[in-house]
Amino acid sequence: MAEPSLDGNSAAPRTPPGGATEPQSRRHTEPQRHRTFTIKHTRSVVYPLLIRGGHPLCPRIIAYAALFCSLNGFLQSHALLHCSAKDPDQDLDQDWVSSLRTGAGLSLFVLGMILNIHSDNILRNLRKPGETVYKIPRGGLFELVSGANFLAEILEWFGFALAVWNLAAFSFSFFTLCSIGPRALGHHRFYLEKFPDYPRNRKALIPFVL
């Protein structure tokens, strides 16, 4: 909407340097990208408070995890707020591709989060209050892979990286895969060794493949 000038006439809308106005779709997608990061880490704080039983953690591991999450949070936030400036001269075709990519990334992020919450809920309810024994997880994505929660986490972060499209997000997504991918393989071997009746058709991380 044009702003009125001092003499009562309508002034031309303000434009950024270069003479191009910011596309409407870009203004709509940018806040969504920021919210995905906030939602993800809010869940990371809530989930540990809901775990039943389990074993105590070494304080050093907690300290390392807090340090890592703090550094990663700073890098991701810095990249989102200060390193993702858009070129105002970007043409409409490129903006359409960017909006499509953002939508696909957000959809993958939401799918991963739903699967992650569901998988975590299955794991939390395996034990009754006070129990510390291991049990076979069943239902949901666990019918296909042993590391259902790990697969969902990887999907979330790659969806986030696809949506925000910056080096910091892709780097973290890659190292998340390198970190929790082997954990999924280790959990799968543990289940096979501990439970003689463990489903042999389950894979470790990628359904029907690995």
Side-chain angles (χ1 to χ4, degrees), residues 60-84:
R60 184 173 61 180
I61 294 177
I62 298 176
Y64 285 157
L67 176 62
F68 171 79
C69 290
S70 298
L71 290 175
N72 179 59
F74 170 77
L75 290 175
Q76 299 299 331
S77 300
H78 179 74
L80 283 171
L81 296 174
H82 302 292
C83 302
S84 297

Side-chain angles (χ1 to χ4, degrees), residues 39-63:
I39 292 171
K40 172 61 186 170
H41 281 279
T42 300
R43 176 196 161 276
S44 299
V45 174
V46 173
Y47 171 71
L49 302 177
L50 302 176
I51 297 177
R52 298 176 180 176
H55 302 282
L57 287 176
C58 172
R60 184 173 61 180
I61 294 177
I62 298 176

